[in-house]
Amino acid sequence: MSATIYEAPRAAAKPGETVVTSTCGHNCGGRCVVNAHVRDGRIVHISTDARRWNPDHPPLPACARGVGQIERTYHPDRLQYPMRRTGPRGSGQYERITWDEALDTVAREMLRVRETYGNAAILDASRTGSQSMLHGRVAAQRFLYMFGGCTDLWSNMSAEAEVFSVRITYGEKDYKSAGREPTDFANSRLILMWGWSPGDGTFGTGTMQYLKHARKNGTRIVCIDPRVTMTSKQLADEHVFIRPSTDAAALIAMAYVIVSENLHDQAFCDRHVLGLDEGPVPEGASYRSYLMGLNDGQPKTPEWAAAITGIPAATIRRLAIEFATTKPAAIQAGYAGGRTVFGEQFHRAVYALAAITGNVGVSGGGSGVSNGATGRAGIRSLPIGKNPIESKVASPLLADLLAHGKAGGYPADIRMIYSAGGDLFNQCPNAGKMAASLDKVEFIVGQDHFMTPTVRMADIVLPATTFWERNDVHVPWAGAGHYAIYMKQAIEPMYECRNDIDIFDDLSRRVGINGYNTKSEAAWLKDLTADAVDDFQAFAEQGVARFAAPKDAVAFAAQIRGEQPFATPSGKIELYSTVLAANPNPYGLGVIPPIPTWFAPNDDTKRFPLSLCTPKSRARTHSIHGNQERLGKVDPDTVWMHPNDAAERGIVDGQNVRVFNDIGATVLPAQVTDRIAPGVVSIKEGAWYTPGADGADSRGCANVLTTDRSAPCGATTYNTNQVKIEAAQ
C-alpha cells in the first residue's frame, strides 16, 4: 500500500464554477495551496487550504501574496503581446509586433552575437520570478546551454553563504535538506532565532504555526536581530539587538565562553568534529587556539564582541551559558547574516556553536541550518544539461561585470542579455550602476509578465504566461514538509501570452537546436515526478501529494549514530575545513580561513553613520507584486529609524526622507520606531527602481544603496552598507 496520500484541499465548487488547486510559482519562501474559483473562463476568487491546523497533518494555507494573485493575474499592466523598443533604452517606448517578428529578431541577434563575440558574450539573467519544476528559469538554462552556452551568474543571491558553508562544514551539497523538519521544533528546550524571521518573509509554509506550537509546549525562544521582527514580536521571550554584519563576532564570543568554561561537549567533538583542538590539524590552527587568541593575542571574549556588536558582554555570556547547558537547544540561522561582506563566517560560526555543544543530528537540536531535512522529496526539475563554456561571475558583481567586462578581469564583455522571469536590474546590488552600464550591451530580451525595471531596458519584450495559465509541479520552498503540489492550469493563456517551454521550443528551431522539447507538458511532469509520485493521475486530479515523513526529522542524525560518515574529506563536521586549508581562495574573491573567523567590514561609518539592512516585505516576493497597489497596503514601504536617530536629524514619523550614500539615493517615508537598534535603518528590498531626471530613485528601491561587491564565497552583501538620512526637499 502506498504511503503517499493524495488530497484535494479545496471547497466544493458552486454551480457554474470550477475550483482548481495550484501554488504560487515564485521564490516566495512558502509553498502554499491557492485555489482558483473559475467562472466563464475567468478567475473570480482565490481561496486557500482552510483546514484547522494539526501538527501531525498541517494544512497549507496561503499568505496575502497568494490570495493577491488575482490582482496580479488581471492587472491592467500585464504584458499582452510581443513588442519592439522604439525609443531610448529605459524610455518605455515600444511598438506591437507579431510573435514571428519577435522570435525571428531574437534568433537573428543570438546568432549574430555568437558569431561575432562568442557564447560568453551572452548573459543569462533569468531568475525565479516564474519558478516551478518545468517552466521558468530551468527552461531558459536548458535553451542557452543547448545553444552553446552563456555567461552564468553562478551564486545563489539569497543564500550562497549558507550553500557554501553547509558544503564546507558538513559536506552536504543540498542545503535545503541540511536542517530539520518543523515537527521537531517542539522537541527543543531553547531556540535561538538568529536573523531568521519566518513571520516576515515566510520560511516554509506552516513554520510560524510550528514555532507557536513549540512555544506553547514550553520552548524558550530568543531572537537576535537588528529589528524586532514580526516573528520576534509574536514569539520571542527575549529580543537581543545586534548591529548588522557583526553576527560572527557574537557567535565566536559565545564559543569562547563555552570552551573556556568547559561547557562544550568534548566527547561529541572527539567523535564527530574536526578542528576544535590541535592534533589532526596543524599546531595553532585549531578553533580553540583562535578563540583563546593564542595566535593574534586577542581572546574572543564577550567584552571584545560587545564593542563590535552592540550586545552587552553580560548578555553574550548569559546566552552562551544558556545555550550550552540547555539540552537540547537549537540555533536557527536565517539568510540575513550571510548576506554580508563576510557572510560565510556567520554561517560557519553558527554551525560551530551547534557542533561544540553536541546539538548536531539530535532531536530538538540541529545543524544551525533553518531549512528542512527532506529537500525536494525526489521531485526533479527540467534537465538543463551542463553549460558548455566556463564563463561564470558571482551574482552580486553583475553591475561591475556590465561596467568593465574583460577590462575588469571578467571572462567576457556582455553584448546580449536574456532575462526570463528575472528582474536583476532591480534585485542585484547597485541598481544605478547597472542602468548606467548598458551602452555596450547590444541586445536585451525581456520575457516576463510585466514591464519590470529589467524588462523596461529590453529591445524585445515577450509576454509569458503566469502559473495559472499552464500546468506544472512544485515542492516546498524550505525543503521541509515532504509534499508536492500539482499546479493545474486554471484558465487559458491570456492575450497573446505563451508559456516558457513553448517560447524556447519555438526559438530553438529558429537557431538550429534539435531536441529542446521532446515531450508534452503532461509527459514531462509525469517523468519529473516519477521517483516520488506513484499515482500521477490522482496527483493531478487531487492537487497535493503528501509523502511519508523522513526517517529522521533532523539532518545528520545517521552520521551521529555512526551509520555513515559526513561527506567531508575527513568524514567529520569540519570546523577546520581541509578544503579551505588546501585552497583558501576558491573563487578568487578573497581568502577564507579554514576556521570561522571574524573580519570587520571596514566601511565608511564616519561619512555614512547609519547601517542599512534590507529585510523582506510581506507584500512582495523580492520585486514580484511590486506594482500591486492593493497588496502593497499589507506592508507599506518605509525606512525604519530609531527615535534617537530620528530626533538627532529632526525627522518625525511619516515624513518623507532622502536616504543616500556615494552610489545612490532614494526617497520614502520614515517610520520612527523603537523596534530597530540605534544606528541602524532598514528598507524592505524589492521596491521597483524608478529613477527621476536626477537619477535618484523615488520609490524606495533599496538596491540603489547597496554596493556591488561579493563576499569571498560569492554571496551578496545586501546587509553591509552605510547610509545617511535627511529630510527630503
Side-chain angles (χ1 to χ4, degrees):
M1 183 177 177
S2 172
T4 301
I5 299 171
Y6 299 98
E7 55 190 30
R10 54 183 178 265
K14 296 178 181 178
E17 77 172 13
T18 57
V19 183
V20 175
T21 292
S22 187
T23 188
C24 298
H26 308 309
N27 186 20
C28 61
R31 196 60 64 223
C32 316
V33 166
V34 285
N35 298 313
H37 297 246
V38 181
R39 189 180 295 272
D40 298 326
R42 183 180 177 88
I43 301 172
V44 296
H45 176 64
I46 292 177
S47 64
T48 188
D49 191 342
R51 292 173 292 180
R52 184 183 297 273
W53 192 75
N54 174 357
D56 298 320
H57 194 93
L60 304 170
C63 69
R65 293 169 295 176
V67 178
Q69 289 291 345
I70 194 168
E71 180 188 6
R72 187 172 193 272
T73 303
Y74 296 108
H75 197 288
D77 293 343
R78 270 289 298 270
L79 295 175
Q80 300 182 15
Y81 39 75
M83 294 187 291
R84 176 169 49 218
R85 179 168 63 85
T86 58
R89 184 165 280 163
S91 67
Q93 298 174 29
Y94 288 89
E95 65 178 359
R96 182 175 183 172
I97 58 176
T98 67
W99 270 103
D100 280 338
E101 288 178 291
L103 294 181
D104 283 345
T105 302
V106 174
R108 183 173 61 250
E109 288 298 308
M110 290 192 72
L111 292 168
R112 179 188 66 81
V113 170
R114 183 175 68 177
E115 175 66 23
T116 306
Y117 305 108
N119 281 83
I122 301 171
L123 176 72
D124 178 17
S126 307
R127 266 316 192 258
T128 55
S130 180
Q131 172 181 280
S132 37
M133 295 297 100
L134 180 59
H135 297 283
R137 187 187 181 194
V138 287
Q141 289 174 304
R142 180 179 173 89
F143 168 73
L144 291 170
Y145 293 175
M146 292 180 77
F147 185 66
C150 59
T151 291
D152 270 330
L153 297 171
W154 63 266
S155 55
N156 184 312
M157 291 174 63
S158 293
E160 188 60 40
E162 177 162 271
V163 173
F164 173 84
S165 300
V166 166
R167 187 173 67 250
I168 288 294
T169 306
Y170 296 115
E172 175 58 59
K173 294 180 180 179
D174 180 14
Y175 74 111
K176 287 290 179 87
S177 62
R180 62 174 179 154
E181 296 295 295
T183 51
D184 190 61
F185 292 167
N187 295 323
S188 301
R189 290 185 59 206
L190 170 68
I191 296 177
L192 301 185
M193 299 181 64
W194 206 299
W196 186 54
S197 181
D200 284 272
T202 308
F203 206 101
T205 300
T207 297
M208 281 295 286
Q209 288 88 339
Y210 275 108
L211 287 167
K212 291 176 181 178
H213 175 67
R215 190 168 186 267
K216 184 178 179 180
N217 283 274
T219 302
R220 173 169 151 80
I221 296 177
V222 179
C223 288
I224 301 94
D225 200 288
R227 304 160 63 244
V228 177
T229 61
M230 290 291 290
T231 306
S232 184
K233 189 176 181 181
Q234 294 181 40
L235 295 176
D237 295 287
E238 179 182 1
H239 185 93
V240 178
F241 285 110
I242 187 171
R243 293 175 185 144
S245 302
T246 68
D247 307 88
L251 290 156
I252 288 167
M254 288 175 67
Y256 169 89
V257 172
I258 291 168
V259 173
S260 65
E261 299 188 16
N262 291 316
L263 299 175
H264 61 292
D265 190 332
Q266 187 66 51
F268 182 95
C269 292
D270 289 342
R271 288 194 305 272
H272 302 297
V273 177
L274 175 73
L276 176 61
D277 297 296
E278 273 84 1
V281 302
E283 184 176 352
S286 70
Y287 196 38
R288 186 192 294 268
S289 293
Y290 175 70
L291 296 175
M292 301 305 152
L294 299 184
N295 292 328
D296 61 8
Q298 175 60 68
K300 309 309 180 293
T301 63
E303 291 72 22
W304 164 81
I308 296 168
T309 65
I311 304 175
T315 301
I316 295 173
R317 184 178 304 280
R318 174 173 54 80
L319 283 179
I321 294 171
E322 183 178 8
F323 189 73
T325 58
T326 305
K327 301 288 187 177
I331 181 167
Q332 302 279 146
Y335 296 160
R339 295 172 183 159
T340 54
V341 72
F342 298 103
E344 64 279 345
Q345 301 304 334
F346 162 66
H347 287 287
R348 295 179 69 213
V350 165
Y351 307 159
L353 205 65
I356 65 174
T357 53
N359 280 301
V360 176
V362 301
S363 179
S367 63
V369 176
S370 288
N371 287 300
T374 53
R376 291 182 173 182
I379 304 290
R380 293 174 287 114
S381 59
L382 178 72
I384 62 174
K386 187 179 184 298
N387 191 345
I389 64 173
E390 284 292 325
S391 183
K392 300 189 295 184
V393 176
S395 301
L397 300 179
L398 173 58
D400 206 53
L401 165 67
L402 295 174
H404 300 295
K406 288 182 178 179
Y410 295 102
D413 294 316
I414 301 303
R415 304 298 185 183
M416 175 181 170
I417 298 174
Y418 203 119
S419 173
D423 194 12
L424 294 188
F425 294 169
N426 196 80
Q427 293 305 108
C428 274
N430 207 338
K433 182 176 177 179
M434 283 184 283
S437 302
L438 296 175
D439 289 347
K440 294 181 180 179
V441 180
E442 299 172 6
F443 191 69
I444 300 175
V445 182
Q447 183 172 310
D448 217 309
H449 308 135
F450 294 99
M451 189 67 70
T452 65
T454 299
V455 175
R456 196 174 182 84
M457 297 294 183
D459 297 281
I460 293 291
V461 175
L462 304 177
T465 53
T466 67
F467 65 87
W468 290 121
E469 300 155 63
R470 63 192 188 213
N471 295 294
D472 218 314
V473 169
H474 227 327
V475 294
W477 179 92
H482 41 88
Y483 64 92
I485 298 178
Y486 189 88
M487 304 168 69
K488 191 170 185 178
Q489 183 174 337
I491 56 176
E492 291 299 311
M494 294 181 64
Y495 313 112
E496 294 183 21
C497 299
R498 299 177 65 181
N499 71 53
D500 296 310
I501 292 289
D502 285 349
I503 293 171
F504 286 117
D505 187 37
D506 198 340
L507 191 55
S508 70
R509 290 192 291 271
R510 296 169 193 255
V511 297
I513 295 173
N514 295 316
Y516 173 79
N517 184 16
T518 57
K519 302 175 185 178
S520 67
E521 188 177 62
W524 271 119
L525 296 176
K526 187 173 183 179
D527 178 64
L528 297 176
T529 59
D531 294 341
V533 172
D534 56 9
D535 189 337
F536 183 77
Q537 183 175 350
F539 179 40
E541 290 176 354
Q542 297 292 94
V544 175
R546 300 270 195 169
F547 307 121
K551 177 182 177 182
D552 296 302
V554 180
F556 310 122
Q559 287 88 334
I560 299 306
R561 288 194 299 265
E563 297 169 7
Q564 63 190 68
F566 285 88
T568 56
S570 67
K572 294 186 175 185
I573 302 168
E574 293 200 357
L575 304 193
Y576 177 92
S577 169
T578 54
V579 172
L580 291 175
N583 182 15
N585 191 358
Y587 305 122
L589 298 171
V591 170
I592 307 174
I595 56 171
T597 305
W598 160 248
F599 293 99
N602 291 324
D603 282 358
D604 187 351
T605 57
K606 290 185 177 180
R607 292 178 58 223
F608 301 104
L610 298 172
S611 298
L612 172 68
C613 55
T614 59
K616 302 298 177 200
S617 168
R618 299 192 310 280
R620 287 191 297 270
T621 297
H622 301 303
S623 67
I624 300 166
H625 308 293
N627 60 341
Q628 291 180 232
E629 184 176 347
R630 281 187 295 170
L631 182 58
K633 294 176 181 178
V634 170
D635 197 5
D637 285 304
T638 60
V639 53
W640 282 24
M641 298 183 69
H642 189 273
N644 294 351
D645 295 320
E648 183 181 330
R649 292 159 178 80
I651 291 167
V652 297
D653 188 63
Q655 179 180 0
N656 273 357
V657 296
R658 178 174 177 259
V659 188
F660 64 99
N661 56 22
D662 277 340
I663 63 171
T666 188
V667 175
L668 71 173
Q671 183 172 341
V672 180
T673 174
D674 60 5
R675 289 175 58 190
I676 193 164
V680 182
V681 297
S682 72
I683 299 175
K684 292 181 284 289
E685 59 93 11
W688 286 16
Y689 175 48
T690 310
D694 62 352
D697 174 67
S698 60
R699 290 187 56 183
C701 176
N703 281 329
V704 301
L705 304 165
T706 56
T707 308
D708 52 319
R709 57 182 169 177
S710 173
C713 68
T716 50
T717 58
Y718 297 122
N719 292 323
T720 307
N721 293 281
Q722 297 295 126
V723 298
K724 289 180 73 171
I725 294 183
E726 62 186 16
Q729 301 300 315

